[in-house]
């Protein structure tokens, strides 16, 4: 666990399976739970055939489930396998209630998360990576029926609105370089540029 308020961002599907009709007629009663890396079927998604338990602390195993994106803004949900060239890796998310944490508190929390996640003394790698700490997806219950409505970008966020805080690293600078692997547990190794 990175922080009790934050949830690790992982790309995975949880699938349930059970006996088919013939097996049920024969008296079989069982349920199997499967975890699959998401997005499924992508050619660059590494194969993973072991237990998921304790996979996140292991750099090589966790890369299969890492949440990487090929767009400059990690808040957009356009997942790609971390082994392909990509711009961003979302590390963690958390729900927030407006007014939410201040931008300074959010940046401080995100920096601490990134240091633990990457194992790097400087998660920006000397300015070649950029820390992103922002709240996205604000919505508010403002109708008599209690329906959730999106708060338009640039509009004031009403007290009590809910959103999602995002903590991510993105390829920074003007070099145009892309990442070619997960940053989890990188430590003192070089940034995996593509």
């Amino acid at each position: 666990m990175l922080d009790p308020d934050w949830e690790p961002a992982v790309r995975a599907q949880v699938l349930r399976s059970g006996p088919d009709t013939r097996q049920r007629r024969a008296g079989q009663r069982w349920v199997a739970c499967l975890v699959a890396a998401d997005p499924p079927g992508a050619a660059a998604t590494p194969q993973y055939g072991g237990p998921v338990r304790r996979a996140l602390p292991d750099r090589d195993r966790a890369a299969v489930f890492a949440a990487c994106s090929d767009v400059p803004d990690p808040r957009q949900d356009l997942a790609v396998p971390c082994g392909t060239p990509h711009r961003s890796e979302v590390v963690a998310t958390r729900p927030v209630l407006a007014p939410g944490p201040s931008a300074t508190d959010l940046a401080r929390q995100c920096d601490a998360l990134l240091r633990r996640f990457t194992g790097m003394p400087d998660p920006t790698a000397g300015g070649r990576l950029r820390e992103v700490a922002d709240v996205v997806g604000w919505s508010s219950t403002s109708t008599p029926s209690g329906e959730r409505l999106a708060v338009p970008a640039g509009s004031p966020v009403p007290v009590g609105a809910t959103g999602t805080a995002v903590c991510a690293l993105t390829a920074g600078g003007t070099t145009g370089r892309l990442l070619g692997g997960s940053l989890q547990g990188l430590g003192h190794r070089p940034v995996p540029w593509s």
Side-chain angles (χ1 to χ4, degrees), residues 47-59:
Q47 296 298 307
Y48 183 82
V52 177
R53 181 184 168 111
R54 306 236 187 267
L56 289 181
D58 182 315
R59 173 176 161 60

Side-chain angles (χ1 to χ4, degrees), residues 26-27 42 46 58 60 66 71 76 84 87 109 119 122 124 128 137 141-142 145 151 176 181 186:
D58 182 315
D60 295 327
V71 294
Q76 296 180 20
T84 62
R87 296 186 194 281
Q109 291 172 15
D122 172 15
T124 70
R128 294 174 292 159
T141 305
S142 60
S145 66
V151 176
L186 194 62

Side-chain angles (χ1 to χ4, degrees), residues 9-11 38-39 62-71 73-74 76-91 117 169 179-184:
V10 294
R11 297 284 183 208
D38 187 30
V64 174
F65 302 105
C68 295
S69 176
D70 193 28
V71 294
D73 184 346
Q76 296 180 20
D77 190 23
L78 297 173
V80 298
C82 289
T84 62
H86 61 279
R87 296 186 194 281
S88 303
E89 183 167 355
V90 177
V91 171
F117 178 83
L169 279 169
L179 295 165
S182 175
L183 299 168
Q184 182 165 346

